[in-house]
Amino acid sequence: LVDITEREQVGQIRRDFVANVSHELKTPLTALLGFIETLKGPARNDAPARDRFLTIMEREAERMNRLVRDLLSLSRVEAEERMRPEDRVDVAALVESSVLTLRPMAADAKVALTVSGASAPVWVRGDADQLVQVFTNLIENAIKYGGSGGRVEVMLETSARELAFRGPGVRIDVVDHGEGFDPVHIPRLTERFYRVDSHRSREMGGTGLGLAIVKHIVNRHRGRFRIESTPREGSRFSIMLPAS
Ligand code: ADP
């Protein structure tokens, strides 16, 4: 009985997912088709309108591109979730390089992006590309949604006895001082396509898949993922990984 119920739930989750993906793809596609129609007809000889429409079309195509990229990432990390990463990687260096990549985005948003505790190597068994994806997703979110607080802090701390693993571990915190959100959202935040404010997410070009990807990668690394937030004060996203 339990088995059948579980299978029905999995079926429902899959149907919801397909419905969500179709909806997310259909929105930009409908916009693109609409603008193509207009460009072929009424706007054919209107140069300023044509430029405006092309800019919107580019944005919509980029949105579809990000969505497909994140869907591929998600399906890859889900498929690999049970395969433990074997490489020894320096998380401190990966945190530093993620921060470096996002400096221009922070500067554009007028956010001071600081990093602490990452000057000496910290070794874990991990997949370097996937860990970079975790850190960049969290830092990007902190800039996008928490940027109004003016600063984002990335902190790395090692512990000889990380409680979550009863052994040596490393914790990476990404902290912002922006708008935060009601903690009731926390349990659902890592679900695919779950957003606190969908209008805001879309405006920011979000796909709604970032935190789902983070969760699967952290699971694959036998890590822990913790979210805390206080409305109007900011949020803290923490990753704990066992040290090697
Ligand atoms: P998205 O592509 O929409 O950013 P994510 O999975 O990365 O998707 O995040 C899910 C939702 O969590 C976001 O839409 C946003 O509502 C919320 N969120 C994520 N990070 C933060 C943050 N630092 N501050 C406030 N809200 C956040």
Side-chain angles (χ1 to χ4, degrees):
L1 187 70
V2 171
D3 213 8
I4 291 170
T5 315
E6 235 168 55
R7 209 176 303 156
E8 271 171 11
Q9 276 173 353
V10 170
Q12 187 56 42
I13 290 169
R14 189 163 301 148
R15 281 192 295 279
D16 288 351
F17 179 62
V18 172
N20 273 325
V21 171
S22 313
H23 174 77
E24 298 285 338
L25 282 170
K26 202 164 175 359
T27 312
L29 201 50
T30 305
L32 279 173
L33 287 169
F35 283 112
I36 289 170
E37 249 348 272
T38 317
L39 284 175
K40 282 167 71 187
R44 187 192 288 275
N45 299 312
D46 180 347
R50 209 171 48 213
D51 287 350
R52 222 170 44 242
F53 294 162
L54 282 171
T55 307
I56 304 173
M57 290 169 75
E58 188 175 29
R59 206 179 55 210
E60 295 300 325
E62 277 165 358
R63 177 189 298 284
M64 288 177 69
N65 204 19
R66 276 194 302 273
L67 182 61
V68 171
R69 181 203 61 195
D70 281 0
L71 283 169
L72 286 173
S73 273
L74 186 61
S75 79
R76 190 156 2 101
V77 297
E78 277 179 338
E80 287 176 354
E81 195 164 337
R82 281 164 206 283
M83 292 156 44
R84 299 291 159 214
E86 284 174 4
D87 294 345
R88 267 183 99 231
V89 298
D90 171 8
V91 247
L94 300 178
V95 165
E96 285 279 11
S97 93
S98 311
V99 167
L100 201 66
T101 313
L102 291 170
R103 285 227 179 277
M105 180 186 176
D108 281 346
K110 301 200 168 31
V111 168
L113 176 59
T114 62
V115 48
S116 62
S119 43
V122 177
W123 299 99
V124 304
R125 296 260 170 225
D127 180 312
D129 290 342
Q130 289 188 348
L131 289 175
V132 165
Q133 194 171 5
V134 165
F135 305 140
T136 48
N137 281 356
L138 296 181
I139 301 167
E140 252 181 46
N141 279 350
I143 299 171
K144 282 195 307 194
Y145 304 108
S148 56
R151 65 198 157 94
V152 166
E153 290 138 29
V154 184
M155 293 175 280
L156 185 142
E157 208 177 311
T158 54
S159 155
R161 247 183 90 78
E162 173 63 55
L163 273 181
F165 320 114
R166 290 191 224 94
V170 53
R171 190 168 113 201
I172 301 96
D173 290 307
V174 178
V175 179
D176 70 65
H177 306 273
E179 61 217 51
F181 46 83
D182 190 320
V184 294
H185 294 287
I186 292 174
R188 299 201 59 193
L189 225 50
T190 54
E191 285 175 20
R192 307 139 163 180
F193 299 118
Y194 186 85
R195 291 145 163 137
V196 174
D197 176 345
S198 0
H199 178 74
R200 185 82 201 284
S201 161
R202 271 167 237 279
E203 203 179 313
M204 294 298 198
T207 61
L209 297 175
L211 294 180
I213 294 172
V214 167
K215 182 185 78 178
H216 285 288
I217 296 177
V218 172
N219 282 347
R220 182 182 176 211
H221 286 76
R222 291 184 199 274
R224 302 279 187 283
F225 181 25
R226 202 165 63 205
I227 305 173
E228 293 161 65
S229 192
T230 311
R232 289 173 301 283
E233 281 184 22
S235 313
R236 174 186 293 264
F237 291 76
S238 313
I239 305 288
M240 273 84 64
L241 298 171
S244 92

